[in-house]
Amino acid sequence: MTAGLESALPAGDRTDQIGPLVDEFTGTDGVYYRETFERIGGSSKFVWIFHPWAALLGPVWYGARGLWSAALPFLLVETFAYIQMARGLFGNLATDAYARVAQIEATIAFRKKQLEAARAANADNVEVFERTVRSLEAAIDGIRQEALEIEQGAIWVVLSGVAMLVLFKAAEGFWANRALEKRFSEWLSNRKVASGVTLRRTLLSIVFCLVIVAASILHYAFPGEFKILAGFPTDDIFHSESSEAVKAFFEAVTTGGSAFFGSIAFGIRVILDFLEVVFVETPWLVVASFIILLTGLSAGLRAAVWSGAFLAYMGVLGFWDKAMTTLALLGTAACISIAIGIPLGVYCARRPRVYSAIRPIMDFMQTMPAFVFMIPVIAFFGTGKPAAVVTTMIFGGTPVVRLTVLGLRGVPEAVREAAVAYGASKFYLLTKVDLPLAKPSIIAGINQTIMLSLAMVVVASLIGAKGLGEDVLEALQYASVGQGILAGFAILFCALILDRIVAGAKT
């Protein structure tokens, strides 16, 4: 960047133009950084320029300059070197060995008491106890010798830490100017990039580095001495009281909203029963013909042939009814998700504040493990297919919203302005301009919603959903490899058929 800016300027004016900018950016040592940046910007290779202050101060220097992407890695490796040095100088490297010695000594004392009791009783197992005591004493001698060797090797631990520290310091010194020159290039196009050395950043980097290094050294060099570093200071009462509060909250919501959750379950059940009639109770020949024809119209003849082969696989191996039940469950969750997601995405596309408000909710829905949000779903809807549908919607319902927003925001403003200039109404603009241009992104969102919903087939079977997931779950429980693999392929083929139908790319 600096090289490009310099080459664009007349030869006599390069230094005069770049120099004040370098001074403004660095804040200190302007002459040094002018010469350094000129050398770095004038070469396409790594320039070996050593910065002594960066090497000496290390992460503190990088943090004070706002170069945290380099400060944090250097802080981690330096901390490791300091830990090695502290362990070798002050720590007891043989702590674990001496702990084993203490355990064996306690065991020897116990076995000797047993031996004395056996001798007093003239028991038959006296020799057994004697051999046990001798073997333990031999083992303890070996561990003591091992502990002595470890303690004698402490000097090598110190030297390894020193060697690593010198190596890391050299890397910090050689990388400093290069990193700062890159930051200068960013600053030329964006003055919001951190520049100079401020008191706030300097104090922050000093305090942060001291805390990290001190806590790490104390914890690893003196294990067990500082209990506050061994575990987070808390009390079990916080967990128990929080658990009871959450339980009381869900009980109150479940009791007060029984009618609301019951109406949702009823609506899901209506759609699910209809799709089960279509897929399960309709003759297999009709359903298979419909799916093959739909695949052929959407994705071409080759996809239709493969679709027929996949359906034949499910039928021949006895998975037909369960596969259709899975498609009914998946269809219910996907239809509701799409029916809610696309209008919501259209509404949020032109309302950034609304989208910024619901985006954390969608992040929560996608990142929370399925087994966690199944708990409140079961509390509100019980077990069974409606709960499985709701769980599937939570996991797979967000892509259609995100990609609808992405597609509508990607519509060129020039096209929209032209349509408005020709008198297009808001409805016409949405239906004839925005949605057609955003269609590929919306279709991708629908596809992802269906695929993620299908991924929940096995998980949903845990709460009463029937279908192919039930076979996979039984295979996991009883280690039935054959059954699990065959059912897994059936789920895969369902996914491939749906992907070809929705994607609609003829091959």
Side-chain angles (χ1 to χ4, degrees), residues 303-454:
V305 173
W306 281 108
S307 178
F310 294 156
L311 293 173
Y313 171 89
M314 299 176 203
V316 170
L317 295 181
F319 291 125
W320 182 265
D321 289 342
K322 292 185 177 181
M324 294 303 106
T325 301
T326 298
L327 289 178
L329 179 69
L330 168 66
T332 302
C335 287
I336 297 175
S337 298
I338 294 168
I340 296 174
I342 292 180
L344 183 60
V346 171
Y347 183 80
C348 294
R350 306 301 174 191
R351 296 168 179 83
R353 292 184 178 179
V354 176
Y355 187 60
S356 62
I358 69 170
R359 189 164 53 189
I361 300 175
M362 294 191 295
D363 293 338
F364 171 81
M365 292 166 62
Q366 282 192 303
T367 56
M368 179 65 71
F371 290 100
V372 176
F373 59 69
M374 280 171 59
I375 298 173
V377 169
I378 294 173
F380 296 147
F381 297 97
T383 58
K385 292 182 179 180
V389 170
V390 174
T391 302
T392 305
M393 288 172 56
I394 294 174
F395 183 76
T398 56
V400 67
V401 181
R402 293 183 186 275
L403 289 175
T404 298
V405 173
L406 180 64
L408 291 174
R409 287 184 174 179
V411 175
E413 285 297 327
V415 176
R416 303 184 79 251
E417 291 175 0
V420 173
Y422 278 99
S425 63
K426 290 184 178 180
F427 182 77
Y428 185 92
L429 184 66
L430 175 64
T431 56
K432 301 298 183 180
V433 178
D434 289 341
L435 290 179
L437 292 177
K439 182 180 177 181
S441 181
I442 296 174
I443 293 298
I446 294 173
N447 178 272
Q448 290 302 303
T449 291
I450 293 175
M451 293 300 104
L452 289 176
S453 298
L454 194 59

Side-chain angles (χ1 to χ4, degrees), residues 156-208:
W156 297 108
V157 177
V158 176
L159 293 177
S160 67
V162 172
M164 286 188 291
L165 184 62
V166 171
L167 179 63
F168 299 148
K169 288 293 185 181
E172 291 166 0
F174 283 116
W175 181 249
N177 290 318
R178 188 85 177 182
L180 195 60
E181 193 271 341
K182 288 184 178 180
R183 176 59 62 88
F184 176 61
S185 300
E186 298 174 4
W187 178 82
L188 288 176
S189 58
N190 181 11
R191 295 305 173 91
K192 294 182 179 180
V193 173
S195 62
V197 179
T198 64
L199 179 62
R200 183 179 66 86
R201 285 204 304 267
T202 303
L203 292 177
L204 175 63
S205 60
I206 291 174
V207 173
F208 181 76

